[in-house]
Amino acid sequence: MKRAFAALLAVMTLLSGCGKKTEEPAGLYYEASGIAPEAVLLTVDGREVPAARYFYWLTADCDYLAEQAGGEPDWSADAGGQTLDDYVKRQALDATVFYDTVEALAEANGCVLTAENLSAMDSDWAAQAAEYGGEDAYLDILTQMGLDRAGAQLLTADYYLYEQLRALSLAGGSELSPADGAASDFAASAGVYTADVLVFPNADLAAAALSDLEQDPEKDPAALKDGVYTTVTAATGDGTLPAAAEQALAGLEQGRWSNPVETEGGVYLLRLLPTDMDAAAGLWFDAHIQSLASGAQVVPAKEYGDFTAASFYKNLSAARTAKG
């Protein structure tokens, strides 16, 4: 564990812009952009952010678009009044700023990785390695993303820091905690709801389950073997539930099950519950952090204009091919 922590600190030092390397730039991101991974590509509220952090998100976004397109995306296509190229660069920038904001808040609030966090990160790593057929295979995949183990763990660390910040917010008494009434106001304005959700592969199974539930209102929905059961608290329109399922909830009496609702992802049964205000406070926190990130002062370096998503991804793909 000490070795893992030392490795994590080392990469955090590298990617925060401290301890500049003297050797020639190298690596997948450099081959794709001509920009050294440790070079400062932008500042967020005065904090220097290395190019590697941005290029990770740009790589992930470009890979997703290429997968959806079944090949090279049309970078000139319209994406909400801008080209797809500009859109994906902005998406990567927003993600970079968001997680830098999280790290800045963690520093300001004394949040650091705990021994429990480090143990969980080791478990995360082992689980991912097992999923991909072993550590060597997993490292090969990370290499294609421009990462090594330390870089991947740095990204994982942001998740644990974010959860520490959330815990501070929910505990109250922190500058991150909602003011009196803020969470309930947010819940009302965002249309936050809490519901039991059952999803079935077909309408016949859903109808049979509904009959069981109506005959025995005390029946545990988790005991229905053919459905997948969960309880969700979400804001209307955030994508947690399909639009048709949310529409069924809108006119539903609290405590009653809906009729089966057919969607592309399965057939839903829904039961509206009293809003879980603790979960709503968590959603308020998510929106608050997003607002802080959106309001951050972001100053890109001149090098940010030296590449497009198209040029970056073309060079990235060529570098991947060359490395086999």
Side-chain angles (χ1 to χ4, degrees):
M1 184 176 295
K2 288 181 178 179
R3 288 195 297 272
F5 187 57
L8 185 61
L9 286 178
V11 77
M12 289 178 78
T13 299
L14 169 63
L15 293 183
S16 65
C18 301
K20 300 288 194 251
K21 286 189 171 185
T22 57
E23 60 262 27
E24 289 296 315
L28 195 66
Y29 297 152
Y30 179 69
E31 293 179 49
S33 67
I35 300 171
E38 64 270 22
V40 175
L41 191 62
L42 63 140
T43 60
V44 180
D45 288 335
R47 285 168 50 94
E48 295 182 344
V49 179
R53 297 303 299 270
Y54 174 82
F55 287 137
Y56 166 77
W57 294 109
L58 185 59
T59 297
D61 288 343
C62 288
D63 277 340
Y64 174 78
L65 290 173
E67 180 182 353
Q68 295 299 303
E72 184 78 9
D74 179 2
W75 299 107
S76 64
D78 178 73
Q82 59 187 320
T83 66
L84 183 62
D85 196 298
D86 289 338
Y87 171 80
V88 72
K89 280 193 73 174
R90 182 68 204 193
Q91 288 294 105
L93 183 64
D94 288 346
T96 305
V97 172
F98 180 85
Y99 285 103
D100 189 75
T101 300
V102 169
E103 291 174 6
L105 287 170
E107 291 176 12
N109 287 275
C111 295
V112 296
L113 294 175
T114 65
E116 183 179 358
N117 293 154
L118 292 171
S119 178
M121 288 168 63
D122 283 342
S123 296
D124 293 340
W125 174 267
Q128 288 293 318
E131 180 179 342
Y132 287 101
E135 185 165 310
D136 287 344
Y138 185 39
L139 285 170
D140 286 343
I141 290 171
L142 290 177
T143 298
Q144 294 295 302
M145 291 295 297
L147 297 173
D148 56 13
R149 176 168 181 167
Q153 286 188 313
L154 178 61
L155 295 167
T156 302
D158 283 344
Y159 164 79
Y160 288 98
L161 293 175
Y162 189 85
E163 289 307 305
Q164 287 189 37
L165 292 171
R166 182 196 295 277
L168 278 178
S169 174
L170 297 180
S174 163
E175 63 179 14
L176 295 172
S177 300
D180 290 344
S184 57
D185 289 346
F186 170 79
S189 64
V192 173
Y193 59 84
T194 299
D196 282 332
V197 180
L198 279 162
V199 185
F200 297 87
N202 61 61
D204 290 340
L205 291 173
L210 178 59
S211 178
D212 287 347
L213 292 166
E214 289 178 335
Q215 291 177 23
D216 182 5
E218 301 302 317
K219 189 177 185 67
D220 181 3
L224 295 171
K225 63 179 181 179
D226 295 315
V228 177
Y229 169 71
T230 187
T231 299
V232 302
T233 298
T236 299
D238 70 358
T240 300
L241 293 181
E246 286 191 341
Q247 290 170 7
L249 275 175
L252 197 61
E253 181 183 340
Q254 195 172 104
R256 294 183 64 95
W257 287 95
S258 71
N259 290 323
V261 180
E262 296 194 31
T263 75
E264 290 184 359
V267 182
Y268 282 69
L269 295 180
L270 306 119
R271 179 169 61 178
L272 189 63
L273 302 173
T275 303
D276 182 339
M277 291 310 299
D278 286 339
L283 294 178
W284 173 91
F285 171 78
D286 294 336
H288 179 59
I289 300 302
Q290 185 62 63
S291 176
L292 291 177
S294 297
Q297 183 180 15
V298 180
V299 181
K302 63 179 180 62
E303 288 81 3
Y304 184 78
D306 291 346
F307 62 91
T308 63
S311 67
F312 175 84
Y313 200 58
K314 178 181 179 180
N315 293 336
L316 180 80
S317 299
R320 284 170 167 173
T321 300
K323 292 179 183 301

